[in-house]
Structure formats: structure tokens, C-alpha cells
Amino acid sequence: MSAAGSIPSSCLHRIFRAAELREKEAGVDVVKLHVGDPYFNPADNVAEAFIDAVRRGETKYTGVEGLPELRAAVVDKLRADNGVDSEVSRLLISPGSCQGLAALLQSLAEPGAEILLPELHWPVHLQQAVLAGFRPVLYPLGADLRPDPETIAAAATPRTRVLLINSPANPTGVVLDRSEIGALLDLARSRNWQVISDEAYEHFVYEREHVSVASFERDLPVEERIVHSVFSFSKSFAMTGYRLGYVALANDRAADVMKVAQEANIIGTSTPVQYAGIAALDSRHESTAANRKLVQRNRDVALPPLIRAGLLHELPAGGWYAMLDVGRTGLDAETFAARLLESKGVAVVPGEGFAMRPELDAEGRVRSHDFAPWARQLIRIAFCVDQSALETGVRKIVEFVDECGDGGPTSAD
Ligand SMILES: Cc1ncc(COP(=O)(O)O)c(C=O)c1O
């Protein structure tokens, strides 16, 4: 069996299909709180730039690295907004940050190498790590679901090569502050690890500031840098379907290796989409501020009833997901999600899928897996959806929890 054939399908895809089926079979409009797809659209100049590029015939391959004009615009943005000292030679455009991450992992993987991921993680990070040939090591999160350097150091082994940092985090909404990032980076440097920083939600930080991990390395000689940063146009600019992202590699050697991976993977990123990306960066200050405001308003208006119902501890500091604890219903999250979809037409993701613990065989295939037991009572909702849909969804979740009662139904009623 291949490594891919051994990986269980992600919970995200399962619930996606279940919601679609429910709509088709029962003819009901499902309130979709399971996907991180925003209800708002890209700024007008983005679509115009895309269409103009197509009309001008800018539809041939670009180089594997991406359009020089877009790479230059991204480097300017990284310097001005993120405090990251990148260079065009170390900056690769990718068809979505998910693909950039996959190629980066492929280019860092060595036989037997381990990657450190949090026990509560975005399932795609785990899938990609296994596909690339890494052996994932899942470390427990500390208080308030924050990564703790001591716990991470204890989980690491001499085979550890990479630490993945994701702030703001999917699914927890945790935003790391400067001192936390500094401590993680000190640990990585002291152990000779590489760091991957997934900053897909960089523009969705509410009361605090977003700190780019690579900004700590701006004064270091390039060859000593260890942080590879991955960014997305999907969330910041509501460009999920355009498929556009970029990777700022730590140094030229890493960029050369990833270029080889991308030559084999993609040949190049869609050309008109890259012109749309240039337009998105041109108007980024207005659009990212407006988009953050929309999601923050959703969070502030729609989520407090979940706190009052004892399902949510506090408002997420960043990103656009919240993890709810539905333990008091007596249902496990899988059953909770299935019954909620069936009886209330609301789709949410059971938390177990974010806490898979795979056992790998010697060849790097998943031999067996279980789930962190505490995740059995968690569900994830996305709060980037239309405000009234979100309010309806939240009302129905609270209603459903009330109907279950404390320690609620355990039989198949
Ligand atoms: C943490 C995280 N990283 C990366 C991505 C990938 O985004 P995209 O491939 O659309 O750029 C997502 C998408 O949900 C995500 O949640």
C-alpha cells in the first residue's frame, strides 16, 4: 500500500459530503459552519485584473517561481507589513498556500525525519507531513491550547528536523505573542531544527498584533536563517477559489530545492490568477482591514451566546474558527455533529479529526490511528460565514444542546 492509501480521509471532507447530501436529499438549506470559506468577495480590482489578463492573452506558462512582478510585490509587502526580510530569489508563488506547504514539506523531508505538530492541529498539516515522508510527532498543548517549549523539547527526538508553527491557529484560534514565538524559535535553533510558519490567517488577529516568525531573523545572515514562511491570498483577500499563495524560504539553498519540487509538482501557477494577486496586494490595506472587521463583527455579535451556554471558553483571539466543548450533552462529537445536521440542518466538524494520532510503520505508512480522547467532546465552527446564517447556526446549536440536556440522550433517539 502507498503512504497516501494508508491515510484516513480528513473529517473536513466527510462532513462536506454529508452536508451536501443532506441538502440534496432533504431539500433543506444547511447552515454551513464547517468550511472556512468567507461570505464576502475579493475587491473589484481583483476580478478586473484577472479578466484583463485573460483578455490580454496572459494565459501562457509563467516560470515555476511565479511572475516576477508578483514576487517583487510580495517581497515589498513582507518587508513593509510583516517585518520579514525576503528577496525575490527566495520567494516562490504557489497555487494556494496548501500546495506551497506540501511542496515545502517535500523539499525538507529526509528518510526517517520527524516533524513536530501540536496534538490539536489542522488535519491537512498531518496528511501533508505523512505524504512528504515525515514521521509526525504530536506534542500536547499547554494551558489554553498554547504550545509550550518544554513540552515540545520533551516530545522531540534526535530525528526531529522540523517544527511547524501556525499562528493564528486553525482550529484553536490561538495567537502567539512575541515572547512565545521567540521561545519556540530559540528552542528550534538550539536543536538545529527548521521551522515552518503557516501564516494563512495573518490578517485575522483581533485585539493583538500578528507577529511573523521570520521577522525575528531579519538581522541574521541569510545562510543562518531557519524559518520558512507560508502565506495565502485565500483568507486575507477572500480569494479561496482563485488558488494563490506564496512561500518565503529561509535561504537560497532551500529555495533552490523547493524550486525542483515545484518543477515536478506544478510547472507553474495560473498566470491570470497571479495578475489578480498583484491587484489584491495593491489594495491590501483597505481590503484586509475591511475583511478583518467583517469577521470580527461576526465573532463579537454571534459567538457570545455560546460562551453564555458554557460551550465556549472565550472569544478566539485570531483566525475564524472556534472550538466548542459539547461534553455536557453526553454525546460524542461525531454523534453530536451527525444529529445536529439531521435535526437542525447545521453542519459542524467533530473535533476528533483535528486530534488524530497515527502510528506509522517502518516505511512511513499509517499502520493504525486513534484520537486524543479529550477531542471527542469538541466541535469546530467557522465564523467567517454570513452574519445572519452564523446567528441562526449558533441559535440552533444552543437549542440542540438544551434539548439534549445535561448528560443528555445516549440512545439513538
Ligand atoms: C492553517 C491553514 N493553512 C493553510 C490553508 C490553505 O489555504 P489555501 O490553500 O487556500 O491558501 C488553510 C485553509 O483552510 C489553513 O486553514
Side-chain angles (χ1 to χ4, degrees):
M1 187 196 277
S2 63
S6 73
I7 300 174
S9 155
S10 143
C11 58
L12 295 168
H13 293 282
R14 257 184 293 129
I15 192 77
F16 202 86
R17 283 191 290 271
E20 273 183 351
L21 200 68
R22 180 88 192 125
E23 282 199 319
K24 222 155 120 196
E25 282 179 351
V28 289
D29 279 340
V30 168
V31 181
K32 299 186 180 90
L33 304 186
H34 59 303
V35 226
D37 215 343
Y39 75 97
F40 41 87
N41 291 314
D44 290 344
N45 65 329
V46 171
E48 281 156 19
F50 176 84
I51 293 165
D52 282 353
V54 173
R55 291 224 166 96
R56 285 199 313 275
E58 304 276 12
T59 49
K60 307 288 186 201
Y61 288 133
T62 58
V64 68
E65 306 90 342
L67 266 182
E69 305 91 301
L70 175 58
R71 294 163 75 210
V74 168
V75 166
D76 287 348
K77 174 260 180 191
L78 286 173
R79 291 209 177 128
D81 302 359
N82 300 81
V84 172
D85 168 50
S86 185
E87 286 285 350
V88 169
S89 63
R90 289 181 261 122
L91 194 287
L92 302 185
I93 306 297
S94 58
S97 69
C98 191
Q99 197 286 323
L101 265 167
L104 175 61
L105 284 160
Q106 286 169 2
S107 67
L108 294 175
E110 296 164 28
E114 292 175 354
I115 182 170
L116 288 158
L117 299 175
E119 237 181 8
L120 199 53
H121 50 261
W122 185 44
V124 176
H125 286 149
L126 179 63
Q127 291 180 320
Q128 289 183 333
V130 174
L131 280 173
F134 276 104
R135 304 184 73 82
V137 173
L138 299 158
Y139 62 84
L141 288 165
D144 298 331
L145 302 176
R146 308 184 86 79
D148 165 47
E150 272 180 36
T151 315
I152 296 175
T157 78
R159 291 178 300 282
T160 302
R161 293 285 176 279
V162 176
L163 171 68
L164 188 142
I165 300 176
N166 176 214
S167 173
N170 176 7
T172 62
V174 164
V175 175
L176 300 182
D177 64 29
R178 217 163 264 286
S179 68
E180 289 172 304
I181 291 175
L184 293 175
L185 212 44
D186 286 346
L187 171 65
R189 196 165 280 290
S190 72
R191 301 290 180 100
N192 229 356
W193 301 337
Q194 303 283 298
V195 172
I196 295 179
S197 178
D198 178 345
E199 301 183 28
Y201 296 93
E202 62 172 324
H203 290 110
F204 298 90
V205 174
Y206 306 114
E207 281 82 23
R208 307 160 186 224
E209 55 163 352
H210 172 66
V211 179
S212 281
V213 181
S215 66
F216 282 75
E217 298 198 315
R218 60 188 303 166
D219 298 322
L220 275 186
V222 172
E223 60 279 11
E224 289 176 24
R225 298 183 189 176
I226 59 168
V227 180
H228 312 282
S229 314
V230 183
F231 296 88
S232 176
F233 283 76
S234 292
K235 318 290 174 178
S236 303
F237 305 106
M239 287 172 67
T240 46
Y242 280 76
R243 311 307 302 130
L244 191 62
Y246 51 95
V247 181
L249 281 307
N251 50 57
D252 293 300
R253 213 188 73 75
D256 288 344
V257 177
M258 184 166 151
K259 237 182 270 177
V260 174
Q262 289 298 59
E263 280 167 10
N265 281 325
I266 59 165
I267 301 183
T269 300
S270 158
T271 306
V273 165
Q274 296 189 68
Y275 281 100
I278 296 173
L281 289 178
D282 277 348
S283 55
R284 70 181 184 277
H285 296 303
E286 308 82 60
S287 56
T288 56
N291 294 345
R292 177 173 43 252
K293 215 160 141 194
L294 290 174
V295 183
Q296 181 164 6
R297 193 183 61 197
N298 270 359
R299 182 194 76 148
D300 295 347
V301 171
L303 300 195
L306 295 167
I307 297 180
R308 289 196 289 278
L311 300 171
L312 177 65
H313 176 51
E314 58 183 0
L315 294 179
W320 52 35
Y321 306 100
M323 291 301 270
L324 312 185
D325 187 335
V326 298
R328 68 173 239 232
T329 62
L331 300 176
D332 63 78
E334 195 81 42
T335 312
F336 181 96
R339 291 197 193 166
L340 182 71
L341 182 61
E342 173 84 20
S343 65
K344 302 281 178 190
V346 180
V348 300
V349 193
E352 270 191 355
F354 301 93
M356 195 179 43
R357 302 189 297 196
E359 281 278 336
L360 267 56
D361 65 17
E363 280 79 38
R365 290 177 296 235
V366 179
R367 189 176 47 200
S368 62
H369 67 277
D370 66 358
F371 300 97
W374 42 264
R376 275 200 206 115
Q377 52 190 48
L378 300 178
I379 60 163
R380 191 197 75 172
I381 62 166
F383 55 93
C384 54
V385 302
D386 165 73
Q387 190 181 322
S388 77
L390 178 64
E391 285 178 307
T392 304
V394 165
R395 181 172 46 74
K396 289 184 173 186
I397 290 172
V398 174
E399 242 170 56
F400 182 71
V401 168
D402 287 346
E403 284 164 23
C404 289
D406 287 336
T410 47
S411 61
D413 49 59

